[in-house]
Amino acid sequence: MPEVTLKSWIMVLTLGCVWGGSFLLIEIALQGISPFWLAEARLLFAAILLTAVWGALGGKVTPVKDGKNRWPYLLVVGLFSSAFPFFLLSWGQQHVTSATAGVSMAGVPLLVMPLAHFFSVGERITVMKLVGLLVGFCGVLVLLGDGLMQSSGSGLEGWGRVACLSAAACYAISSVTTRNCPPIDAYAMSAVVMIIAALAGLPVAWLKEGPPPLPDLTTLAVLSGLGLIQTAGANLLRILVIRSAGSTFMSLTNYQVPFWSMVFGALTLGEALPAGLFLALGLILAGMGLSQWSHLRRLFSKA
């Protein structure tokens, strides 16, 4: 059964902030590297770091020898949590507006909910959970505002939207699969799935964009940050949250990402914040609270 604690809330809020900042770093990195090699660089940096950390901690795989095969789960998580969505978004965001991409990612909780209901223990759909997720989604719509009605003008905009929605579906599938994987050390899981993602992405980037480019020092620094913090560190946190608190709870991160993305853009690039920022934030926080109302009551009753 999922157990949502104060630590779970801190990790989810941290993930929202970290992933929200990734859009700014991606925008900077794209000035010195092509989209597919950017995605592959993130995966390679993360795979190297997580493997090193896993090895330094003893290379433990699982606490029990129960005879269960974990490889199918690890393969699905590796492909659907990083490899597929990274490349789908790298391609799709060239042909859609940022608002379209934001709504696609905010749809992850709504996709996770029915999957978790049917395939995960202890994550049944409830009226309060459904209302909370819908309220949070409305907050994202308010946040993105008029941009939702704008067209990118690309002739491939329709396929770009399909790519973004497909990426959201990948995240939903990987979350539920991560939750259902038999017991395994979190560091081992995070390292192995990232290795799988990096190996799967390498031929895709090479075939699409040719041999890897030699980025300048600024781009290399940004790529290392994306790989080490936004990919490696966040992937480990993501696994810890899903394994303990459940995939539906973890999916609440996606409602925060557009908010933090806009805040970082305003602080660093001087971008204008939307007029409905605080209304949107209120709806997002209210939605998160309503969807996890039973867990919050238990948490505060212990305080």
Side-chain angles (χ1 to χ4, degrees):
M1 293 289 290
E3 182 181 0
V4 178
T5 64
L6 178 59
K7 184 179 178 181
S8 306
W9 282 100
I10 293 173
M11 287 193 291
V12 153
L13 292 172
T14 301
L15 277 170
C17 181
V18 168
W19 277 334
S22 65
F23 291 97
L24 173 63
L25 294 178
I26 288 171
E27 184 175 340
I28 296 172
L30 282 172
Q31 297 174 18
I33 193 170
S34 52
F36 278 30
W37 276 115
L38 187 155
E40 179 59 19
R42 291 181 63 181
L43 297 175
L44 286 171
F45 271 113
I48 292 169
L49 175 66
L50 289 171
T51 302
V53 172
W54 177 36
L57 294 174
K60 182 171 62 174
V61 176
T62 175
V64 291
K65 294 183 179 180
D66 51 16
K68 294 180 180 178
N69 186 4
R70 290 154 178 78
W71 281 108
Y73 295 90
L74 296 175
L75 181 62
V76 170
V77 174
L79 294 176
F80 284 82
S81 70
S82 300
F84 291 164
F86 276 25
F87 287 96
L88 284 167
L89 286 172
S90 292
W91 183 84
Q93 285 186 258
Q94 298 176 91
H95 304 289
V96 300
T97 63
S98 58
T100 299
V103 168
S104 299
M105 293 303 99
V108 172
L110 301 177
L111 295 172
V112 166
M113 186 168 54
L115 289 174
H117 176 83
F118 289 107
F119 297 108
S120 294
V121 176
E123 296 200 56
R124 310 291 289 179
I125 295 175
T126 64
V127 173
M128 188 68 81
K129 188 178 292 186
L130 178 60
V131 170
L133 292 177
L134 290 174
V135 169
F137 187 74
C138 288
V140 175
L141 296 181
V142 171
L143 189 67
L144 298 173
D146 295 338
L148 295 171
M149 307 304 295
Q150 295 175 1
S151 171
S152 68
S154 170
L156 295 174
E157 184 172 13
W159 286 110
R161 291 177 178 176
V162 170
C164 290
L165 289 171
S166 298
C170 287
Y171 285 130
I173 292 169
S174 72
S175 291
V176 175
T177 306
T178 299
R179 174 66 183 168
N180 293 339
C181 180
I184 183 172
D185 178 71
Y187 291 94
M189 186 174 195
S190 60
V192 172
V193 300
M194 201 55 64
I195 291 170
I196 291 171
L199 290 176
L202 186 59
V204 176
W206 202 302
L207 290 171
K208 178 68 177 178
E209 297 176 347
L214 183 62
D216 57 55
L217 290 179
T218 299
T219 303
L220 192 61
V222 174
L223 289 174
S224 63
L226 279 167
L228 303 182
I229 299 173
Q230 268 81 8
T231 309
N235 183 62
L236 178 58
L237 270 183
R238 174 182 174 276
I239 288 173
L240 290 171
V241 171
I242 293 174
R243 300 289 281 176
S244 60
S247 51
T248 302
F249 180 76
M250 170 61 212
S251 68
L252 297 178
T253 304
N254 295 85
Y255 286 159
Q256 305 172 59
V257 170
F259 169 79
W260 285 113
S261 176
M262 290 184 178
V263 169
F264 284 126
L267 292 175
T268 59
L269 302 177
E271 296 177 351
L273 291 171
L277 178 70
F278 293 106
L279 171 61
L281 179 60
L283 288 170
I284 290 171
L285 293 176
M288 292 173 65
L290 287 171
S291 69
Q292 301 297 318
W293 182 247
S294 60
H295 294 296
L296 282 173
R297 282 195 306 175
R298 284 197 294 270
L299 182 62
F300 285 112
S301 67
K302 296 177 182 177

